[in-house]
């Protein structure tokens, strides 16, 4: 018979306090319980006796032994840690934790046994040396694929697993942006890795009043099925997580406390941004901007997609002199029209380019790769130097950091790989050129380099970085995340609505997508999978585009982009045509709402708020609202209900079903509601059926809302000079903070802004206003009762 090897005991045998944390030692391992605030508890577990301080170094509160909140501990049948707001109970025999509010109500429990596990493995990091590589051409660019790489021993790392017990009725959401459009993650497996159409964020949120933030920068897996409920990380120095207690607004504030406050974007970032694949010359860019002004269609920025570089020098951060003979003249011409200029830049570079040669000579490339090393300060600094001298010096206003996952192996496959295969492909490919314990965070370091580079030159111009990959902390670097190269189908639109809400709930406030989807037609690669082979000739696509555009008008950032057909509004008709008029109506409303939208952005920075928020954010007591992921609040006043079915045309010019013209909408309880367009009033806590029309999507206003608006304009600079009109919606008392500043630069960090608090008394029907701050930014206010 085989000899059994008895497991080491997890019973707590030694307890001590050190550096404001409580340490619990068993034969098996060491637990550290470290309250960060009265409502944030950091818990770590190791089996080698040490907690290196560099894990999660991008998080604000992970280092510095002076950090931490006051707490008390006691021993009895169990170990009890108390803060002013929370109780943490520890089972002496198993080391499992239970989190409770101070009144004893349960928040979360770890599994009864084996709740924290780590598995040691030797890590051999990739290094320059003998390697097998291949140049591959993908739709996403020319990449140098590492087939086999040289390695050298680095250190021991660990796979970690945190096992949990969830309540039966508990709704779980978050974990960033996936592709499947699943709101409640119960009963699912989620693979947290970066990809073209995935943004992994290790934040799990609960309807029961807490969130979990993993400190890992490696890939991770969430599982809640017959095999158990747990969070697994691929490569860390120890198991480490934060329990953040509170309703969702408080959890978001806790995430920002740990990972950094969101930077203000420039005001123009909240206007309409026009992009496509691609504008090819300076002349085309300027003429397109002129056409927008002639059409009197609002516009704040135009975007230059890839291949702005000379010849085939992929990723070279200089402009092709033949197509862009006078870059500064081009940006000046755009600026004269109040149009800003954004340009695409990439982390990988052609080996024939001078940018690549400079990185190679400086030793600042990832091993055996043509991708620069964003993890090193020297690499980030050199990348910015190239961007500054080749592009920024000519008046570039914003950056589009494409392909910021650095590797995208799923796009090398002929068919869509299953989720588990896609996960392993990413781990293998990224692990051949990047540190395994940081492979999910390349985009974070990339954004850091752009932000620190630009702000190191000037504080008069805010950083705007549209990037495809990010991580907790990206918000402090002026990053806007977008959902990648999606395809034009009604099902994709439906899923994107849910995924955008899920992403923003994780505390990253700025998210957008390609309005109309990137791929419209169906091509050979599996991801080129649109439903409209005739493109703009198919009225079905024009209808889908309009619905996407109407939804996009209520996203934090409002941007159209894609290939297969042009995206400028005049391609969808002319004034008087149903589709064109619907686009014009949506963009006008966006600009009319600019005082409200920019105030939401101010609250994102100042109060750690969200612009795009799930219903549970504003209605935490409504159990039905907790399970809804296809409607959302846009700030505290507006509930957006995107239309995700055709009412005119299906694909291939087949008429849509008549039933699609009716749409069920849930109105959260605890408040009354107004239909924005008809002003019809409804009680909350009910599901209503509305008739859908082509000229707008359903939009509801909360009773008691104060909605600051202005007469529509053609750009945000023009809009900022207009009188602010306060639209009051009776039915409850109301409050709103109107935020105004210069619209650019970082003076707001030194108090250069004006904040006007507006109060509405429903009983008396009166409005009172209190203004503080720099009055030079304050516009005239006019009160309009409903």
């Amino acid at each position: 018979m085989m000899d059994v090897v008895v497991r080491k005991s997890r019973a707590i045998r030694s307890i001590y306090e050190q550096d404001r944390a409580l340490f619990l030692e068993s034969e098996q391992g060491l637990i550290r319980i470290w309250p960060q605030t009265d409502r944030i508890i950091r818990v770590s577990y190791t089996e080698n006796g040490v907690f290196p301080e560099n894990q999660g170094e991008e998080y604000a509160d992970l280092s510095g032994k002076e950090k931490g909140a006051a707490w008390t501990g006691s021993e009895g049948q169990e170990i009890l840690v108390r803060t002013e707001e929370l109780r943490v109970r520890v089972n002496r025999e198993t080391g499992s934790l239970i989190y409770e509010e101070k009144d004893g109500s349960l928040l979360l429990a770890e599994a009864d046994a084996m709740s924290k596990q780590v598995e040691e493995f030797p890590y051999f990091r990739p290094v320059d040396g003998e390697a097998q590589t291949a140049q591959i051409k993908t739709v996403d660019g020319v990449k140098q694929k590492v087939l086999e790489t040289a390695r050298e021993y680095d250190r021991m790392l660990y796979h970690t697993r945190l096992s949990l017990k969830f309540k039966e009725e508990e709704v779980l959401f978050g974990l960033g942006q996936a592709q499947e459009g699943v709101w409640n993650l119960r009963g699912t497996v989620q693979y947290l890795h970066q990809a073209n159409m995935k943004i992994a964020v290790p934040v799990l949120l609960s309807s029961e009043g807490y969130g979990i933030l993993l400190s890992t920068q490696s890939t991770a897996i969430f599982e809640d099925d017959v095999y158990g409920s747990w969070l697994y990380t691929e490569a860390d120095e120890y198991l480490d997580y934060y329990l953040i207690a509170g309703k969702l607004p408080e959890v978001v504030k806790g995430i920002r406390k740990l990972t950094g406050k969101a930077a203000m974007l420039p005001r123009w970032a909240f206007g309409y941004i026009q992009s496509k694949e691609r504008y090819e010359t300076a002349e085309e860019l300027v003429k397109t901007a002129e056409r927008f002004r002639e059409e009197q269609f609002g516009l704040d920025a135009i975007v230059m997609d890839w291949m702005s570089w000379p010849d085939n020098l992929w990723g070279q951060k200089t402009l092709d002199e033949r197509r862009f003979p006078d870059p500064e003249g081009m940006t000046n011409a755009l600026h004269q029209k109040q149009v800003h200029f954004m340009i695409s830049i990439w982390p990988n570079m052609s080996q024939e380019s001078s940018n690549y040669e400079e990185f190679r000579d400086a030793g600042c490339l990832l091993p055996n790769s043509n991708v620069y090393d964003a993890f090193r300060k020297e690499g980030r600094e050199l990348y910015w130097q190239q961007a500054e001298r080749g592009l920024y010096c000519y008046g570039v206003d914003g950056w589009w950091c494409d392909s910021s996952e650095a590797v995208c192996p799923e796009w090398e496959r002929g068919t869509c790989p299953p989720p588990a295969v896609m996960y392993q492909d990413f781990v293998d490919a990224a692990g051949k050129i990047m540190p395994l314990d940081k492979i999910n965070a390349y985009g974070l370091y990339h954004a850091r380099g752009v932000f620190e580079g630009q702000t190191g030159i000037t504080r008069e111009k805010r950083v705007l970085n549209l990037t495809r990959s990010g991580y907790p902390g990206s918000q402090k670097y002026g990053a806007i995340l977008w959902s990648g190269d999606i395809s034009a189908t009604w099902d994709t639109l439906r899923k994107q609505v849910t995924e955008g809400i899920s992403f923003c709930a994780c505390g990253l406030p700025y998210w957008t997508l390609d309005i109309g989807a990137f791929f419209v037609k169906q091509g050979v690669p599996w991801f080129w999978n649109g439903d409209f082979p005739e493109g703009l000739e198919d009225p079905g696509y024009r209808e889908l585009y309009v619905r996407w555009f109407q939804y996009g008008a209520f996203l934090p950032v409002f941007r159209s982009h894609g290939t297969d057909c042009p995206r400028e509004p005049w391609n969808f008709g002319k004034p008087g045509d149903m589709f064109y008029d619907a686009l014009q109506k949506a963009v006008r409303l966006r600009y009319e709402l600019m005082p409200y939208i920019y105030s939401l952005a101010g609250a994102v920075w100042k109060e750690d708020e969200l612009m795009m928020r799930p219903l549970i954010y504003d209605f935490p007591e409504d159990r039905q609202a907790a399970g809804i992921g296809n409607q959302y609040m846009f700030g505290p006043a507006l509930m957006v209900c995107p239309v995700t079915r055709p009412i005119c045309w299906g694909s291939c010019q087949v008429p849509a079903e008549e039933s699609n013209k009716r749409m069920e909408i849930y109105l959260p309880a605890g408040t009354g509601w107004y239909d924005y367009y008809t002003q019809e009033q409804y009680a909350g806590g009910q599901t209503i059926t509305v008739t859908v029309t082509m000229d707008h999507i359903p939009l509801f206003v909360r009773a008691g809302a104060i909605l600051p608006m202005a007469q529509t304009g053609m750009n945000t600079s023009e809009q900022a000079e207009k009188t602010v009109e306060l639209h009051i919606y009776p039915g409850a008392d109301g409050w709103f903070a109107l935020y105004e500043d210069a619209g650019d630069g970082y003076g707001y960090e030194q108090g250069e802004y004006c904040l006007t608090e507006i109060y509405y008394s429903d009983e008396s029907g009166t409005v009172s206003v209190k203004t503080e701050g720099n009055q030079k930014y304050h516009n005239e206010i006019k009160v309009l009762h409903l």
Side-chain angles (χ1 to χ4, degrees), residues 295-330:
E295 297 264 339
Q296 295 194 333
F297 198 101
L299 178 70
D300 262 273
I302 194 165
V303 185
M304 179 66 214
D305 198 357
W306 61 359
M307 298 189 188
S308 57
W309 43 76
D311 302 319
N312 293 315
L313 300 180
W314 196 281
Q316 172 79 6
K317 293 176 282 297
T318 56
L319 293 168
D320 184 346
E321 294 180 356
R322 294 167 298 179
R323 294 179 290 129
F324 303 92
D326 182 9
E328 189 170 9
M330 175 189 70

Side-chain angles (χ1 to χ4, degrees), residues 237-258:
E237 296 191 289
Y238 53 94
L239 186 156
D240 194 47
Y241 74 96
Y242 292 83
L243 187 286
I244 307 170
K247 296 174 182 177
L248 187 53
E250 186 178 357
V251 172
V252 169
K253 286 176 170 58
I255 293 168
R256 300 269 181 84
K257 178 177 177 61
L258 295 171

Side-chain angles (χ1 to χ4, degrees), residues 351-408:
Q351 293 183 6
E352 305 301 317
S353 69
S354 60
N355 280 182
Y356 172 87
E357 292 173 355
E358 189 174 11
F359 267 101
R360 180 198 59 203
D361 294 345
C364 290
L365 293 166
L366 291 173
N368 304 303
S369 169
N370 62 353
V371 177
Y372 91 99
D373 189 347
F375 300 109
R376 291 176 53 197
K377 183 173 183 286
E378 299 87 349
R380 296 193 297 270
E381 288 177 346
L382 178 55
Y383 190 87
W384 170 255
Q385 289 166 15
Q386 292 180 349
E388 192 280 329
R389 68 175 182 252
L391 299 170
Y392 187 69
C393 64
Y394 296 120
V396 168
D397 300 298
W399 305 103
W400 177 5
C401 288
D402 208 340
S403 196
S404 51
E405 326 71 16
V407 297
C408 203

Side-chain angles (χ1 to χ4, degrees), residues 448-521:
R448 176 181 178 179
V450 172
F451 182 86
E452 291 178 345
Q454 183 174 318
T455 55
I457 288 177
T458 178
R459 302 284 294 177
E460 300 302 313
K461 196 170 188 176
R462 294 177 194 167
V463 176
L464 184 146
N465 175 5
L466 177 67
T467 180
R468 202 169 68 191
S469 182
Y471 217 61
S474 293
Q475 71 277 357
K476 61 190 173 186
Y477 300 134
I480 304 162
L481 281 297
W482 105 94
S483 62
D485 297 333
I486 53 180
S487 292
T489 71
W490 286 98
D491 188 53
T492 299
L493 173 57
R494 178 189 62 78
K495 291 174 178 177
Q496 288 285 292
V497 173
T498 301
E499 294 298 351
I501 303 167
S502 172
F503 176 84
C504 289
C506 296
L508 290 111
Y510 296 121
W511 180 87
T512 189
L513 43 61
D514 293 350
I515 288 174
F518 186 74
F519 296 114
V520 174
K521 302 177 181 180

Side-chain angles (χ1 to χ4, degrees), residues 58 194 252 385-386 413 420 431 592 609 632 648 663 669 686:
E58 276 286 318
Q194 309 299 358
V252 169
Q385 289 166 15
Q386 292 180 349
R413 287 183 171 266
E592 288 170 358
E609 291 277 8
Y632 63 93
C648 297
M663 179 175 173
Q686 64 169 324

